[in-house]
């Protein structure tokens, strides 16, 4: 719920600033909400487990927004974004559509492709944050740490879904770690921008005061010469 309300906050920030980084942070924080909430004990008591399981997996679409977010710290890839976004979105919609008619075999197949695509997005995101950290771009190191935790948990759970290891799911913690790192970086950018704007406003006020003083002096000199 905290992550979701942070997303609402950045949605309002985007509305005022029109800076798309805040929009991506907002969508990433809000889209992950079903992943955290759907498998909770309260929801499982109120609704059947199958729809909650499907909604839980639909929340992993936040992988795509994480991938978009890290591009602000190294390099944008618009064409690749469209291809991966459409394909990954189709997988997510296929999973959600099974709320109306659940098919276990189809779900298992789509889930595997969904997780592999998510792992691909994680790999690209990890590369982006690593290169951004090498270039010393502000916030890239924090995102690299968050993405590394995200990536390790995703790789672990993909192996778990294929039955290659016997363990407990770690995706919850990996997603949470990255979401927190993303919100921290977005909040830091917002705070730094606010401070910079405040400093610029103060500097502008000083310049205006100096200009007014200079104009007053020149006006006085002209009057003295005229007299």
């Amino acid at each position: 719920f905290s992550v979701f309300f942070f997303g609402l906050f950045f949605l309002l920030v985007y509305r005022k600033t029109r800076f798309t980084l805040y929009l991506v942070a907002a969508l990433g924080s809000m889209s992950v909400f079903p992943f955290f909430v759907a498998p909770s004990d309260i929801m499982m008591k109120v609704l059947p487990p199958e729809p909650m399981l499907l909604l839980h997996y639909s929340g992993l679409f936040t992988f795509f927004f994480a991938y978009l977010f890290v591009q602000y710290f190294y390099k944008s890839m618009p064409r690749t974004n469209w291809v991966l976004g459409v394909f990954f979105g189709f997988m997510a919609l296929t999973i959600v559509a099974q709320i109306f008619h659940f098919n276990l075999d189809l779900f298992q197949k789509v889930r595997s492709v969904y997780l592999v695509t998510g792992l691909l997005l994680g790999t690209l995101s990890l590369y982006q944050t690593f290169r951004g950290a090498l270039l010393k771009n502000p916030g890239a190191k924090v995102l690299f740490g968050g993405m590394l935790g995200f990536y390790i948990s995703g790789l672990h759970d993909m192996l778990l879904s294929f039955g290659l290891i016997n363990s407990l799911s770690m995706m919850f913690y990996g997603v949470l770690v990255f979401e927190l790192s993303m919100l921290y970086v977005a909040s830091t950018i917002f705070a730094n921008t606010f401070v910079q704007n405040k400093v610029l406003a103060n500097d502008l006020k000083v310049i205006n005061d100096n200009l007014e003083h200079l104009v007053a002096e020149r006006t006085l000199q002209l009057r003295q010469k005229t007299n």
Side-chain angles (χ1 to χ4, degrees), residues 52-176:
M52 292 300 96
L53 176 66
L54 297 171
L55 288 174
H56 170 68
Y57 276 98
S58 71
L60 292 179
F61 191 72
T62 192
F63 284 164
F64 180 67
F65 292 117
Y67 164 68
L68 293 181
F69 187 80
V70 300
Q71 291 180 37
Y72 287 93
F73 301 86
Y74 178 57
K75 182 181 179 181
S76 178
M77 298 187 293
R79 291 184 180 179
T80 306
N81 295 347
W82 274 106
V83 174
L84 291 175
V86 170
F87 182 75
F88 200 53
F90 178 75
M91 293 292 102
L93 289 174
T94 303
I95 289 176
V96 173
Q98 292 194 56
I99 291 176
F100 305 102
H101 181 69
F102 184 70
N103 185 317
L104 181 59
D105 291 336
L106 178 61
F107 170 71
Q108 294 285 15
K109 292 177 181 178
V110 173
R111 184 185 68 164
S112 298
V113 177
Y114 191 54
L115 291 176
V116 169
T117 308
L119 185 62
L120 173 61
L121 291 171
T123 303
L124 294 173
S125 301
L126 196 64
Y127 173 77
Q128 290 269 1
T129 54
F130 178 72
R131 292 300 302 270
L134 288 179
L135 294 174
K136 298 182 179 180
N137 292 331
K141 287 184 179 180
V142 175
L143 286 175
F144 176 72
M147 183 54 66
L148 186 61
F150 192 12
Y151 186 80
I152 291 173
S153 68
L155 182 61
H156 172 275
D157 277 31
M158 189 189 72
L159 296 175
L160 183 64
S161 68
F162 286 127
L164 299 176
I165 59 174
N166 184 18
S167 180
L168 298 175
S169 176
M170 293 176 58
M171 185 66 72
F172 178 90
Y173 303 102
V175 172
L176 184 60

